[in-house]
Amino acid sequence: MSSENVENVDIVIIGAGFSGMYALHRLRNHNVVCLEAGEGVGGTWYWNRYPGARVDIESVEYSYSFDEELQQEWSWPEYFSAQPDLERYANHVADRFNLRERIRFSNPVKSMRFNQDENLWHVYTAQGNHLVCRYVIAATGSLTAPNMPPWPGREAFKGDIYHTARWPAEGVDFSGKRVGFIGTGSTGIQAMPIIAEQAEELYVFQRTPAFCMPSGNRPLDEEYERDWKDNYQERRRQMLDTYGASLIKQPEFSAHECTAEQREDILEQAWKSQSAFQLILAFSDVMTDPEVNEMVCEFARNKIRSIVKDPEVAELLCPTSYPIGGKRLCIGNGYFEMYNRGNVTLVDVKKAPIIEFTETGLRTEAAQYDLDIIITATGFDAVTGAMERIDIEGCNNRKLVEKWADGPTTYLGAMVSGFPNLFMIHGPSTPAAQAQMITSGEWQVNWTADIIDNMEQEGLSRIDVTEEAEQSWAQEVNMVSEQTLHKLADSWYNAKNIEGKKGGMMIYVGGFPRFSELCEAAIADGYKGFTRE
Ligand code: N01
């Protein structure tokens, strides 16, 4: 590329999802540009437009806090907003704060190289742009890179194949179709009941059954909304003091302090609470005490047995191989009820795995299934996937993928040693989906922006972290992980959802308050673990 085409800016933000958009707003006093792969804003809520896509945290919480007028003027139609409302909100924010003028849409970052002599990043996009900047903020999202199933024969299939995270904007018509659906995680559980209503036949290919509780979604009550609007500032502050940056209630008593009848009552109330996740927050020790966890598992299994009429199907839907909450608890609407329909068939692909796509459908080790449409809701190469799909070269020609070959290393989830002036939001070993992501993302953006502002004030041009700091952060991440039951479930939390992926615990399960305190303490302690020049 010729030098005339080089554009010099202060900061490049990668991604116009909720964190990237806020970073753009927060850092607008700098010359800042945002590069976005999609044609619109919203990140996760732009890409995941499959039927039934909906947030599982109340929208009054899962929304921006940075502008009082914005939170007063916006009205959410439902407690748990659907994808179109979340995308509408993202577009409203982009317009209201004039963000679009600084976003380059349909312009994914292809590669980045750090020039050690200049202390500048050179960023190259798929459209052929070359930007030179002092800082890069990667707001690339934890659940961005779809995990495509590995089976051969994809091209042979005569029907249509979709991944839920790349859903066509015009939608899909299922009427009169035989649909094969692979994946029974949060996504599949939301999409399938709606598809089952339209399709002629729905075949659900299940490898591991999921725990799921009803969402309790409903139109947002006016009084409830008013109460939130009257108390937003205080509640937003309280949210930051909770484990998940969310005001979902968690009691302080153990299940062992209750009688069997009391436990059953508490779990029954949790199930009916209309508040997501209440089941794993019913007692203080559901995620730390295996015996308590098993009590909650059995309660949830009994719910499945009471809903699903065919006992064999019900048993196949009961998870037995991991603790409840070890993977993200799914929140659904009519998921188990769906199996009582005559047009839904559950196929056990743990027993007889899928081996190939064929011209007419899918073949498992046991049978051939003829299908018109195949949907893969097979999750994501989570946390590291988006960053690793960019060719990133730091100091001494070291590539990020090489550095992360055995798993991602970071300091505070924010920076990687040898990759100066590059910050991540919701990076590896941050609380990610364990904390409400808009609020925790805003917090991380503010922390990062303060660091950058401080660099400018002090006339510094390069910030890095030490390998010792990365090691001490890895110890902290492992130490808190050892205290919970998350390690006992194979999921995107610990990289075990992708065959051969290395790295262990990808997220920080020590809670948002501890995470934010440690981040603040490092700065207050004279930038402990950082090097600045
Ligand atoms: O992905 P997942 P997801 N053969 O990884 C199966 C957030 N989210 O998109 O469990 C057969 O959870 C896989 O089986 P197994 C939320 O944080 C939030 O559903 O690996 N099956 C599993 O059943 C969530 O945790 C919301 O055995 C295969 C499924 O595909 C995260 O996104 C809504 C397979 C993948 O489940 C990811 O959820 C949606 C194979 N080869 C998502 N490979 C809300 O806010 C994979 N599977 C409500």
Side-chain angles (χ1 to χ4, degrees), residues 270-335:
W271 182 263
K272 293 183 184 142
S273 67
Q274 301 191 315
S275 171
F277 302 113
Q278 215 55 53
L279 214 49
I280 52 172
L281 300 169
F283 311 106
S284 60
D285 40 7
V286 180
M287 287 315 300
T288 50
D289 184 329
E291 201 187 323
V292 173
N293 190 282
E294 177 52 28
M295 290 174 199
V296 183
C297 286
E298 193 52 17
F299 174 88
R301 289 185 206 115
N302 283 335
K303 284 290 174 196
I304 300 171
R305 292 174 185 127
S306 72
I307 297 169
V308 178
K309 290 185 182 140
D310 181 327
E312 264 180 51
V313 175
E315 236 23 70
L316 198 51
L317 287 167
C318 284
T320 51
S321 59
Y322 61 94
I324 189 167
K327 302 173 186 242
R328 190 173 176 85
L329 180 64
C330 298
I331 308 298
N333 192 6
Y335 174 64

Coordinates of all heavy atoms in Angstrom, one line a residue, residues 270-335:
A270 N -37.9 -20.4 43.3 CA -36.9 -19.9 42.3 C -37.3 -20.2 40.9 O -37.2 -19.4 40.0 CB -35.6 -20.6 42.6
W271 N -37.9 -21.4 40.7 CA -38.4 -21.9 39.4 C -39.4 -20.9 38.8 O -39.5 -20.6 37.6 CB -38.9 -23.3 39.5 CG -39.3 -23.9 38.2 CD1 -40.6 -23.9 37.7 CD2 -38.5 -24.5 37.2 NE1 -40.6 -24.6 36.5 CE2 -39.4 -24.9 36.1 CE3 -37.2 -24.8 37.1 CZ2 -38.9 -25.6 35.0 CZ3 -36.7 -25.4 35.9 CH2 -37.6 -25.8 34.9
K272 N -40.3 -20.5 39.7 CA -41.4 -19.6 39.3 C -41.1 -18.2 39.4 O -42.0 -17.3 39.2 CB -42.7 -19.9 40.2 CG -43.2 -21.3 40.1 CD -44.5 -21.4 41.0 CE -45.0 -22.8 41.0 NZ -45.5 -23.2 42.3
S273 N -39.9 -17.8 39.8 CA -39.6 -16.4 40.2 C -39.7 -15.4 39.0 O -39.7 -14.2 39.3 CB -38.2 -16.4 40.7 OG -37.2 -16.7 39.7
Q274 N -39.7 -15.8 37.8 CA -39.7 -14.9 36.6 C -38.4 -14.2 36.6 O -38.3 -13.1 36.0 CB -40.9 -14.0 36.6 CG -42.2 -14.7 36.6 CD -43.4 -13.8 36.4 OE1 -43.5 -12.8 37.0 NE2 -44.3 -14.2 35.5
S275 N -37.4 -14.6 37.3 CA -36.1 -14.0 37.3 C -35.1 -15.0 36.9 O -34.9 -16.0 37.6 CB -35.8 -13.4 38.7 OG -34.5 -12.9 38.8
A276 N -34.4 -14.8 35.8 CA -33.5 -15.8 35.3 C -32.4 -16.1 36.3 O -32.1 -15.3 37.1 CB -32.9 -15.3 34.0
F277 N -31.9 -17.3 36.2 CA -30.7 -17.8 37.0 C -31.0 -18.0 38.5 O -30.2 -18.4 39.3 CB -29.5 -16.8 36.9 CG -29.1 -16.6 35.5 CD1 -29.2 -15.4 34.9 CD2 -28.5 -17.6 34.8 CE1 -28.8 -15.2 33.6 CE2 -28.1 -17.5 33.5 CZ -28.3 -16.3 32.9
Q278 N -32.3 -17.8 38.9 CA -32.6 -17.9 40.4 C -32.3 -19.3 40.9 O -32.0 -19.4 42.1 CB -34.1 -17.5 40.6 CG -34.4 -16.7 41.9 CD -33.5 -15.5 42.1 OE1 -33.5 -14.7 41.2 NE2 -32.8 -15.4 43.2
L279 N -32.4 -20.3 40.0 CA -32.2 -21.6 40.4 C -30.8 -21.9 41.0 O -30.6 -22.5 42.0 CB -32.5 -22.6 39.3 CG -33.1 -23.9 39.5 CD1 -34.3 -23.9 40.4 CD2 -33.4 -24.6 38.2
I280 N -29.8 -21.3 40.3 CA -28.4 -21.5 40.8 C -28.1 -20.5 41.9 O -27.0 -20.5 42.4 CB -27.4 -21.5 39.6 CG1 -27.5 -20.3 38.7 CG2 -27.5 -22.8 38.8 CD1 -26.4 -20.2 37.7
L281 N -29.0 -19.5 42.1 CA -28.7 -18.6 43.2 C -29.7 -18.8 44.4 O -29.9 -17.9 45.2 CB -29.0 -17.2 42.6 CG -28.0 -16.8 41.5 CD1 -28.5 -15.5 40.8 CD2 -26.6 -16.7 41.9
A282 N -30.3 -20.0 44.4 CA -31.3 -20.3 45.4 C -30.6 -20.4 46.8 O -31.2 -20.0 47.8 CB -32.0 -21.6 45.1
F283 N -29.4 -20.9 46.9 CA -28.6 -21.0 48.1 C -27.2 -20.4 47.9 O -26.8 -20.3 46.7 CB -28.5 -22.4 48.6 CG -29.8 -23.2 48.6 CD1 -30.1 -24.1 47.6 CD2 -30.8 -22.9 49.5 CE1 -31.3 -24.8 47.5 CE2 -32.0 -23.6 49.5 CZ -32.2 -24.5 48.5
S284 N -26.5 -20.1 48.9 CA -25.2 -19.4 48.7 C -24.2 -20.4 48.1 O -23.2 -20.0 47.6 CB -24.7 -18.9 50.1 OG -24.6 -20.0 51.0
D285 N -24.5 -21.7 48.3 CA -23.4 -22.7 48.0 C -23.7 -23.6 46.8 O -23.1 -24.7 46.7 CB -23.1 -23.5 49.2 CG -24.3 -23.9 50.0 OD1 -25.4 -23.7 49.5 OD2 -24.1 -24.5 51.1
V286 N -24.6 -23.2 45.9 CA -24.9 -24.0 44.8 C -23.7 -24.2 43.9 O -23.5 -25.3 43.3 CB -26.1 -23.5 43.9 CG1 -26.4 -24.3 42.7 CG2 -27.3 -23.2 44.8
M287 N -22.9 -23.2 43.7 CA -21.8 -23.3 42.8 C -20.4 -23.7 43.5 O -19.4 -23.8 42.8 CB -21.6 -22.0 42.0 CG -22.6 -21.7 41.0 SD -23.0 -23.1 39.9 CE -21.4 -23.5 39.2
T288 N -20.5 -24.0 44.8 CA -19.3 -24.4 45.5 C -19.4 -25.7 46.2 O -18.4 -26.3 46.5 CB -18.9 -23.3 46.5 OG1 -20.1 -23.0 47.3 CG2 -18.5 -22.0 45.9
D289 N -20.6 -26.2 46.5 CA -20.7 -27.4 47.2 C -21.4 -28.5 46.3 O -22.6 -28.4 46.0 CB -21.6 -27.1 48.5 CG -21.8 -28.4 49.4 OD1 -21.7 -29.5 48.8 OD2 -21.9 -28.2 50.6
P290 N -20.7 -29.5 46.0 CA -21.2 -30.5 45.0 C -22.5 -31.2 45.5 O -23.4 -31.5 44.7 CB -20.1 -31.6 44.9 CG -18.9 -30.9 45.4 CD -19.3 -29.8 46.3
E291 N -22.6 -31.3 46.8 CA -23.8 -32.0 47.3 C -25.1 -31.1 47.1 O -26.1 -31.5 46.7 CB -23.6 -32.3 48.8 CG -24.5 -33.3 49.4 CD -24.3 -33.4 50.9 OE1 -23.2 -33.3 51.4 OE2 -25.4 -33.6 51.6
V292 N -24.9 -29.8 47.4 CA -26.0 -28.8 47.2 C -26.3 -28.7 45.7 O -27.4 -28.7 45.3 CB -25.6 -27.4 47.8 CG1 -26.6 -26.4 47.4 CG2 -25.3 -27.5 49.3
N293 N -25.2 -28.7 44.9 CA -25.5 -28.6 43.5 C -26.3 -29.8 43.0 O -27.2 -29.6 42.2 CB -24.1 -28.5 42.8 CG -24.3 -28.2 41.3 OD1 -24.6 -29.0 40.5 ND2 -24.0 -26.9 41.0
E294 N -26.0 -31.0 43.5 CA -26.7 -32.2 43.0 C -28.2 -32.1 43.4 O -29.1 -32.5 42.7 CB -26.0 -33.4 43.6 CG -26.7 -34.7 43.2 CD -27.0 -34.9 41.7 OE1 -26.3 -34.4 40.9 OE2 -28.0 -35.6 41.4
M295 N -28.4 -31.5 44.6 CA -29.9 -31.3 45.0 C -30.6 -30.4 44.0 O -31.7 -30.7 43.6 CB -30.0 -30.6 46.4 CG -29.5 -31.3 47.6 SD -29.5 -30.2 49.0 CE -28.5 -31.0 50.1
V296 N -29.9 -29.4 43.6 CA -30.6 -28.5 42.6 C -30.7 -29.2 41.2 O -31.7 -29.0 40.6 CB -29.8 -27.1 42.5 CG1 -30.5 -26.2 41.6 CG2 -29.7 -26.5 43.9
C297 N -29.7 -29.9 40.9 CA -29.7 -30.7 39.6 C -31.0 -31.6 39.6 O -31.7 -31.7 38.6 CB -28.5 -31.6 39.5 SG -27.0 -30.8 39.0
E298 N -31.2 -32.3 40.7 CA -32.2 -33.3 40.8 C -33.6 -32.6 40.7 O -34.5 -33.0 40.1 CB -32.1 -34.2 42.0 CG -33.0 -35.4 42.0 CD -32.9 -36.3 40.8 OE1 -31.9 -36.2 40.0 OE2 -33.8 -37.1 40.6
F299 N -33.7 -31.4 41.4 CA -34.9 -30.6 41.3 C -35.2 -30.3 39.8 O -36.3 -30.4 39.3 CB -34.8 -29.3 42.1 CG -35.9 -28.4 42.0 CD1 -37.1 -28.5 42.8 CD2 -36.0 -27.4 41.0 CE1 -38.2 -27.7 42.7 CE2 -37.0 -26.5 40.8 CZ -38.1 -26.7 41.7
A300 N -34.1 -29.8 39.1 CA -34.3 -29.4 37.7 C -34.7 -30.6 36.8 O -35.5 -30.5 35.9 CB -33.0 -28.7 37.2
R301 N -34.0 -31.8 37.1 CA -34.4 -33.0 36.4 C -35.8 -33.4 36.6 O -36.5 -33.7 35.7 CB -33.5 -34.1 36.8 CG -32.0 -34.0 36.3 CD -31.2 -35.2 36.7 NE -29.8 -34.9 36.8 CZ -29.1 -34.9 37.9 NH1 -29.6 -35.4 39.0 NH2 -27.8 -34.6 37.9
N302 N -36.3 -33.2 37.8 CA -37.7 -33.6 38.1 C -38.6 -32.7 37.4 O -39.7 -33.1 37.0 CB -37.9 -33.6 39.6 CG -37.4 -34.8 40.3 OD1 -37.2 -35.9 39.6 ND2 -37.0 -34.8 41.5
K303 N -38.3 -31.5 37.2 CA -39.1 -30.5 36.4 C -39.2 -31.1 34.9 O -40.3 -31.1 34.3 CB -38.5 -29.1 36.4 CG -38.7 -28.4 37.7 CD -40.2 -28.0 37.8 CE -40.5 -27.4 39.1 NZ -41.9 -27.4 39.5
I304 N -38.1 -31.5 34.4 CA -38.1 -32.0 33.0 C -39.0 -33.2 33.0 O -39.9 -33.4 32.1 CB -36.6 -32.4 32.6 CG1 -35.7 -31.2 32.6 CG2 -36.7 -33.1 31.2 CD1 -34.2 -31.5 32.4
R305 N -38.9 -34.1 34.0 CA -39.7 -35.4 34.0 C -41.2 -35.0 34.1 O -42.0 -35.7 33.6 CB -39.3 -36.3 35.2 CG -37.9 -36.8 35.0 CD -37.4 -37.6 36.2 NE -36.0 -38.0 36.0 CZ -35.0 -37.8 36.9 NH1 -35.2 -37.1 38.0 NH2 -33.8 -38.2 36.6
S306 N -41.5 -33.9 34.8 CA -42.9 -33.6 35.0 C -43.5 -32.9 33.7 O -44.7 -32.9 33.5 CB -43.1 -32.7 36.2 OG -42.6 -31.4 35.9
I307 N -42.6 -32.3 32.9 CA -43.1 -31.6 31.7 C -43.2 -32.5 30.5 O -44.1 -32.5 29.8 CB -42.2 -30.4 31.4 CG1 -42.2 -29.3 32.5 CG2 -42.6 -29.7 30.1 CD1 -41.1 -28.3 32.4
V308 N -42.1 -33.3 30.3 CA -42.0 -34.1 29.1 C -42.8 -35.4 29.3 O -42.5 -36.2 30.2 CB -40.5 -34.4 28.7 CG1 -40.4 -35.2 27.5 CG2 -39.8 -33.1 28.5
K309 N -43.8 -35.7 28.4 CA -44.7 -36.8 28.6 C -44.1 -38.2 28.4 O -44.3 -39.1 29.1 CB -45.9 -36.6 27.7 CG -46.8 -35.5 28.2 CD -48.1 -35.3 27.5 CE -48.9 -34.1 28.0 NZ -49.5 -33.4 26.9
D310 N -43.2 -38.3 27.4 CA -42.6 -39.6 27.1 C -41.4 -39.8 28.0 O -40.4 -39.0 28.0 CB -42.1 -39.6 25.6 CG -41.5 -40.9 25.2 OD1 -40.8 -41.5 26.1 OD2 -41.6 -41.3 24.0
P311 N -41.5 -40.7 29.0 CA -40.5 -40.9 30.0 C -39.1 -41.1 29.4 O -38.1 -40.7 30.0 CB -40.9 -42.1 30.8 CG -42.3 -42.4 30.4 CD -42.6 -41.8 29.1
E312 N -39.0 -41.8 28.3 CA -37.7 -42.1 27.7 C -37.0 -40.8 27.1 O -35.8 -40.5 27.3 CB -37.8 -43.1 26.5 CG -37.5 -44.5 26.9 CD -37.6 -45.5 25.8 OE1 -37.0 -45.2 24.7 OE2 -38.4 -46.5 25.9
V313 N -37.9 -40.0 26.5 CA -37.4 -38.7 26.0 C -37.0 -37.8 27.2 O -35.9 -37.2 27.2 CB -38.5 -38.0 25.1 CG1 -38.0 -36.6 24.7 CG2 -38.8 -38.9 23.9
A314 N -37.8 -37.8 28.2 CA -37.5 -37.0 29.4 C -36.2 -37.4 30.0 O -35.3 -36.5 30.3 CB -38.6 -37.2 30.4
E315 N -35.9 -38.7 30.1 CA -34.7 -39.1 30.7 C -33.5 -38.7 29.8 O -32.4 -38.3 30.3 CB -34.7 -40.6 30.9 CG -34.5 -41.2 32.3 CD -34.8 -40.3 33.4 OE1 -35.9 -39.9 33.7 OE2 -33.8 -39.9 34.1
L316 N -33.6 -38.8 28.5 CA -32.6 -38.4 27.6 C -32.3 -36.8 27.7 O -31.2 -36.4 27.4 CB -33.0 -38.7 26.2 CG -31.9 -38.8 25.1 CD1 -30.7 -39.7 25.5 CD2 -32.6 -39.4 23.8
L317 N -33.3 -36.1 28.1 CA -33.1 -34.7 28.2 C -32.6 -34.2 29.6 O -32.3 -33.1 29.8 CB -34.5 -34.0 28.0 CG -35.0 -33.9 26.6 CD1 -36.5 -33.5 26.6 CD2 -34.2 -33.0 25.8
C318 N -32.4 -35.2 30.5 CA -31.9 -34.9 31.9 C -30.4 -34.9 31.9 O -29.8 -35.9 31.7 CB -32.4 -35.9 32.9 SG -34.1 -35.7 33.3
P319 N -29.8 -33.7 32.2 CA -28.3 -33.7 32.3 C -27.9 -34.4 33.5 O -28.4 -34.3 34.6 CB -28.0 -32.2 32.4 CG -29.3 -31.5 32.1 CD -30.4 -32.4 32.4
T320 N -26.8 -35.3 33.3 CA -26.3 -36.0 34.5 C -24.8 -35.9 34.6 O -24.2 -36.4 35.5 CB -26.7 -37.5 34.3 OG1 -26.3 -37.9 33.0 CG2 -28.2 -37.8 34.5
S321 N -24.2 -35.3 33.5 CA -22.7 -35.4 33.5 C -22.0 -34.2 34.0 O -20.7 -34.1 33.9 CB -22.3 -35.7 32.0 OG -22.8 -34.7 31.2
Y322 N -22.7 -33.2 34.5 CA -22.0 -31.9 34.9 C -22.9 -31.2 35.9 O -24.1 -31.4 35.9 CB -21.6 -31.0 33.7 CG -22.8 -30.6 32.9 CD1 -23.4 -29.3 33.2 CD2 -23.4 -31.4 31.9 CE1 -24.5 -28.9 32.5 CE2 -24.5 -30.9 31.2 CZ -25.1 -29.7 31.5 OH -26.2 -29.3 30.8
P323 N -22.3 -30.3 36.7 CA -23.1 -29.6 37.7 C -24.0 -28.5 37.1 O -23.5 -27.9 36.1 CB -22.1 -28.9 38.6 CG -20.8 -29.0 37.9 CD -20.8 -30.1 36.9
I324 N -25.1 -28.3 37.6 CA -26.0 -27.2 37.1 C -25.2 -25.9 37.3 O -24.6 -25.7 38.4 CB -27.4 -27.2 37.8 CG1 -28.3 -26.2 37.1 CG2 -27.3 -26.9 39.3 CD1 -29.8 -26.3 37.4
G325 N -25.2 -25.0 36.3 CA -24.5 -23.7 36.4 C -23.0 -23.9 36.0 O -22.4 -22.9 35.8
G326 N -22.5 -25.1 35.9 CA -21.2 -25.3 35.4 C -21.0 -24.8 34.0 O -20.0 -24.1 33.7
K327 N -22.0 -25.0 33.2 CA -22.1 -24.3 31.9 C -23.1 -23.2 32.2 O -23.9 -23.4 33.1 CB -22.7 -25.2 30.8 CG -22.0 -26.5 30.5 CD -22.9 -27.2 29.5 CE -22.4 -28.6 29.2 NZ -22.0 -28.8 27.8
R328 N -23.2 -22.2 31.3 CA -24.2 -21.2 31.6 C -25.6 -21.8 31.6 O -25.9 -22.6 30.7 CB -24.1 -20.1 30.5 CG -25.0 -18.9 30.8 CD -24.7 -17.9 29.8 NE -25.5 -16.7 29.9 CZ -25.2 -15.7 30.7 NH1 -24.2 -15.7 31.5 NH2 -26.0 -14.6 30.8
L329 N -26.4 -21.5 32.6 CA -27.7 -22.1 32.7 C -28.5 -21.5 31.6 O -28.5 -20.3 31.3 CB -28.3 -21.6 34.1 CG -29.7 -22.1 34.4 CD1 -29.8 -23.6 34.5 CD2 -30.3 -21.5 35.7
C330 N -29.3 -22.4 30.9 CA -30.1 -21.9 29.7 C -31.4 -21.3 30.3 O -31.9 -21.8 31.2 CB -30.3 -23.0 28.7 SG -28.8 -23.6 28.0
I331 N -31.9 -20.3 29.6 CA -33.2 -19.7 29.9 C -34.1 -19.8 28.7 O -33.7 -19.4 27.6 CB -32.9 -18.2 30.3 CG1 -31.8 -18.1 31.3 CG2 -34.2 -17.6 30.8 CD1 -32.1 -18.7 32.7
G332 N -35.2 -20.5 28.9 CA -36.0 -20.8 27.7 C -37.5 -20.5 27.9 O -37.9 -20.0 28.9
N333 N -38.2 -20.7 26.8 CA -39.6 -20.4 26.8 C -40.3 -21.6 26.0 O -40.2 -21.6 24.8 CB -39.8 -19.1 26.1 CG -41.2 -18.6 26.3 OD1 -42.0 -19.2 27.1 ND2 -41.6 -17.5 25.6
G334 N -40.8 -22.6 26.8 CA -41.4 -23.7 26.1 C -40.5 -24.7 25.5 O -40.9 -25.5 24.7
Y335 N -39.2 -24.8 26.0 CA -38.3 -25.7 25.4 C -38.6 -27.2 25.7 O -38.8 -28.0 24.8 CB -36.9 -25.4 25.9 CG -35.9 -26.4 25.4 CD1 -35.6 -26.6 24.1 CD2 -35.2 -27.3 26.3 CE1 -34.7 -27.6 23.6 CE2 -34.3 -28.3 25.9 CZ -34.1 -28.4 24.5 OH -33.2 -29.4 24.1

